[in-house]
Amino acid sequence: MTRFIFVTGGVVSSLGKGLSAAALGALLQARGFKVRLRKLDPYLNVDPGTMSPTQHGEVYVTDDGAETDLDLGHYERFTGVASRRSDNVTSGRIYSTVIARERHGDYLGATVQVIPHVTDAIKEFVTADLHGEDFLICEVGGTVGDIESLPFLEAIRQLGNELGPERSMFVHLTLVPWIPSAGELKTKPTQHSVKELQGVGIRPDILLCRCDRPISPESRRKIALFCNLRPEAVIPALDVDTIYQVPIAYHEQGFDTEVCRHFKLEAKEPALANWHHVVNRVREPESNVQIAVVGKYTALLDSYKSLAEALTHGGIANNAKVKLNWIDSEIFEREDAVYHLEDVNGILVPGGFGERGSEGKIAAARFARERKVPYFGICFGMQMAVIEAARHLAGIEKAGSTEFGPCADPVVGLMTEWVKGNQVERRTSNSDLGGTMRLGAYDCNLAEGSQVADIYGKRHISERHRHRYEVNINYKDRLEQVGLRFSGMSPDGVLPEIVEIPEHPWFIGVQFHPELKSKPFDPHPLFTSFIHAALEQSRLV
Ligand code: GLN
């Protein structure tokens, strides 16, 4: 029997609802329950795939090829449960489903309305694709009071009513701000937010109150009184120094105990030793490394959420603190890369789209290759490293990517055909942009004796992809002659997945996104190895 926990947010956005949901998932899992996490997003894009990362943050890709909200990354990292396409839906997708059904004649002459047709489609989504989970934690994006989220709130209200309190509960995350001029914490925004929620028929069972300092028992009682709750159901969610402390802090405040109490569950205390271990590693590292991340979306760090996390995991594995220098690659188109990269121990060029800043990434790859600084190129970062090698090692002066327009030497080109499972996927340059990239998990074979085979400790891997262009196999021989090794290939041998430079201490480019699968308890081997190489480099200088 699956129980449903709905998580809403109030007062302001960016309170960390996704992390709160993920932390609750981790706590229930640590008590021995099977959990799944899901997110409802109120915007009208069918998925976040077509949105700029600087607007919405990173697009998180699942094994089954869905482009989803970055909160799914938190869910996966905190629980280790692989997210699926069925774990994230937007208003855009709900509406396109309903409209397609209407066009198909499925509503048998009915007037199609938000209630019940849209809300039914939402409920169908929330309850679908469950397989014996004890808990489904379902986060509603946006802030209570937004017009966009109303159909979602209505749908979860109905579900709450249908399932009853034995199988459902509502958690509401709010802000308790400190007002310096009054020298007081203010509970009014929380009261208003709960009132707003009650206005749409939802009575929260637990309030999570974000606050930058301890909330006094008196304030807790006051919030409880105004919001119809017992004081124990008002959980202070105080700021912490590392996100891995969140499950521990929530447990100390009685969050998971309250959830178990609501469902009348006699559950064992959660086993949190692994979280304590990770927090200790983060708080007391033995050494430091400096990594430059040379990208384009550096104005919003959420654009590279999983990447920053994976680098931290690499640090945890090496008992080191990873300090990140976020550098806008366009700088290198105006100035010499040397000034910005001289003192770093490793250079990472992450995924990206479009021509702007690409020459700067090529300059960063060149610097890393020539100066023998560890280089990690991810997706676009691999493509730029290959173009760099083609131009400066193989003398293919006009080497470029067709992503930037027609090109005399398309070392990176548009993929028009590839194999997925038993099917051939076909694209043209006019295909829709949404949902048409090479997406999700693909297998890759690693060359015997290669550095990557050694790092992974195996010869067959599966990693997640999200790209439209591909390193052109026709240039393989010329590039291998000058020292680049194509050490990872698709099983049919057509698509280059990994390149490395054996003569370099650590120079690896991967076409996939390893950062999506890294976890604090299970750091990705490529990140562990890259940070290790950066540490070695730091000892040389
Ligand atoms: N823009 C490149 C492509 O589509 C790389 C994409 C990426 O880095 N995710 O192939």
Side-chain angles (χ1 to χ4, degrees):
M1 183 185 73
T2 306
R3 299 163 188 87
F4 293 77
I5 303 176
F6 299 104
V7 182
T8 56
V11 186
V12 291
S13 59
S14 304
L15 287 180
K17 229 181 322 140
L19 262 182
S20 300
L24 177 59
L27 285 173
L28 292 172
Q29 201 181 40
R31 283 180 180 260
F33 294 110
K34 185 175 173 195
V35 301
R36 176 157 288 282
L37 287 113
R38 233 160 232 189
K39 177 151 192 217
L40 311 175
D41 272 311
Y43 52 78
L44 283 174
N45 303 59
V46 170
D47 61 43
T50 52
M51 272 192 259
S52 160
T54 48
Q55 287 240 333
H56 189 72
E58 158 189 280
V59 174
Y60 190 77
V61 182
T62 57
D63 276 332
D64 59 0
E67 297 177 278
T68 71
D69 187 79
L70 60 80
D71 278 334
L72 272 75
H74 290 308
Y75 304 164
E76 222 183 287
R77 285 187 286 274
F78 271 50
T79 63
V81 177
S83 304
R84 295 194 287 257
R85 180 176 294 279
S86 55
D87 293 328
N88 185 205
V89 81
T90 67
S91 292
R93 188 174 296 283
I94 294 285
Y95 275 93
S96 57
T97 308
V98 170
I99 289 167
R101 286 179 185 166
E102 186 276 331
R103 291 289 81 187
H104 194 247
D106 294 352
Y107 293 116
L108 303 173
T111 307
V112 182
Q113 293 177 301
V114 173
I115 306 169
H117 301 100
V118 169
T119 45
D120 279 355
I122 296 170
K123 288 197 286 182
E124 230 173 83
F125 171 82
V126 172
T127 53
D129 199 21
L130 292 173
H131 306 276
E133 282 84 355
D134 298 304
F135 287 100
L136 177 82
I137 301 170
C138 181
E139 176 191 349
V140 183
T143 309
V144 169
D146 296 346
I147 291 177
E148 282 89 351
S149 52
L150 281 175
F152 287 121
L153 295 177
E154 170 60 14
I156 63 168
R157 180 195 70 76
Q158 291 178 16
L159 273 173
N161 188 40
E162 287 161 26
L163 295 163
E166 318 71 56
R167 284 194 61 198
S168 68
M169 78 180 296
F170 295 93
V171 174
H172 189 53
L173 179 67
T174 73
L175 176 71
V176 178
W178 170 258
I179 305 296
S181 55
E184 266 182 338
L185 285 175
K186 290 295 180 187
T187 63
K188 195 75 82 190
T190 297
Q191 293 175 40
H192 278 293
S193 181
V194 170
K195 214 165 154 189
E196 189 84 41
L197 200 54
Q198 282 173 341
V200 295
I202 295 172
R203 196 186 79 91
D205 300 294
I206 291 182
L207 283 180
L208 263 185
C209 300
R210 282 299 305 273
C211 193
D212 66 357
R213 62 201 70 210
I215 302 177
S216 67
E218 190 196 331
S219 298
R220 218 170 154 178
R221 269 198 301 277
K222 188 171 165 191
I223 296 171
L225 179 72
F226 280 103
C227 301
N228 264 331
L229 292 168
R230 291 174 309 108
E232 298 76 34
V234 177
I235 313 282
L238 307 187
D239 294 353
V240 285
D241 57 341
T242 149
I243 57 168
Y244 307 117
Q245 176 66 19
V246 176
I248 298 169
Y250 280 2
H251 175 65
E252 283 168 1
Q253 300 290 348
F255 188 17
D256 48 317
T257 311
E258 240 352 83
V259 171
C260 292
R261 183 183 182 278
H262 172 94
F263 289 113
K264 303 190 172 56
L265 290 169
E266 295 282 331
K268 60 173 179 127
E269 279 293 293
L272 297 176
N274 52 355
W275 288 99
H276 283 289
H277 170 74
V278 166
V279 168
N280 288 342
R281 278 278 176 119
V282 170
R283 285 188 181 155
E284 283 158 36
E286 274 171 9
S287 40
N288 289 306
V289 271
Q290 192 82 40
I291 303 292
V293 180
V294 181
K296 173 161 148 186
Y297 314 115
T298 46
L300 180 70
L301 294 185
D302 266 0
S303 319
Y304 300 113
K305 194 80 220 166
S306 296
L307 183 74
E309 287 295 308
L311 284 162
T312 304
H313 304 161
I316 292 172
N318 286 287
N319 221 338
K321 177 165 178 57
V322 179
K323 295 188 179 162
L324 300 179
N325 274 7
W326 299 93
I327 304 178
D328 184 337
S329 62
E330 276 185 292
I331 288 180
F332 303 145
E333 293 168 16
R334 298 188 295 270
E335 299 165 28
D336 195 343
V338 180
Y339 299 115
H340 300 274
L341 297 176
E342 196 124 69
D343 297 329
V344 302
N345 311 121
I347 297 170
L348 192 151
V349 176
F353 293 83
E355 189 167 16
R356 184 169 65 77
S358 59
E359 288 301 326
K361 294 175 188 175
I362 290 171
R366 182 175 195 174
F367 178 92
R369 181 177 59 76
E370 291 179 345
R371 296 289 202 97
K372 301 226 182 288
V373 179
Y375 177 86
F376 196 179
I378 295 183
C379 206
F380 200 69
M382 171 210 194
Q383 296 174 357
M384 295 307 108
V386 173
I387 292 174
E388 191 282 314
R391 286 187 194 164
H392 305 120
L393 283 178
I396 308 171
E397 274 169 35
K398 298 229 156 56
S401 168
T402 56
E403 180 169 357
F404 316 143
C407 166
D409 265 307
V411 169
V412 177
L414 178 71
M415 217 180 351
T416 51
E417 226 176 80
W418 69 93
V419 181
K420 176 159 198 166
N422 302 327
Q423 274 181 333
V424 179
E425 298 264 344
R426 291 204 169 81
R427 303 280 187 270
T428 70
S429 49
N430 284 329
S431 297
D432 278 355
L433 289 183
T436 56
M437 284 186 258
R438 182 149 84 105
L439 289 168
Y442 282 85
D443 291 340
C444 162
N445 295 339
L446 307 180
E448 195 178 347
S450 61
Q451 195 181 351
V452 280
D454 186 43
I455 292 170
Y456 275 94
K458 53 186 176 185
R459 298 277 308 281
H460 304 285
I461 58 166
S462 167
E463 293 280 5
R464 296 182 192 169
H465 289 247
R466 180 173 187 254
H467 57 106
R468 211 177 296 284
Y469 299 85
E470 197 84 45
V471 171
N472 189 339
I473 186 83
N474 297 325
Y475 290 89
K476 179 170 183 267
D477 290 347
R478 284 166 77 186
L479 290 166
E480 291 210 312
Q481 274 159 20
V482 292
L484 210 63
R485 179 169 189 192
F486 284 53
S487 52
M489 297 294 296
S490 60
D492 61 6
V494 180
L495 305 173
E497 294 274 11
I498 306 178
V499 295
E500 60 187 53
I501 299 182
E503 290 305 307
H504 189 284
W506 209 100
F507 192 105
I508 295 178
V510 296
Q511 187 57 77
F512 44 82
H513 288 276
E515 72 275 23
L516 300 177
K517 288 187 25 174
S518 187
K519 318 229 164 33
F521 314 115
D522 185 15
H524 193 288
L526 284 173
F527 283 91
T528 302
S529 174
F530 175 58
I531 297 302
H532 180 77
L535 274 167
E536 299 273 288
Q537 201 271 356
S538 74
R539 288 179 192 124
L540 291 178
V541 286

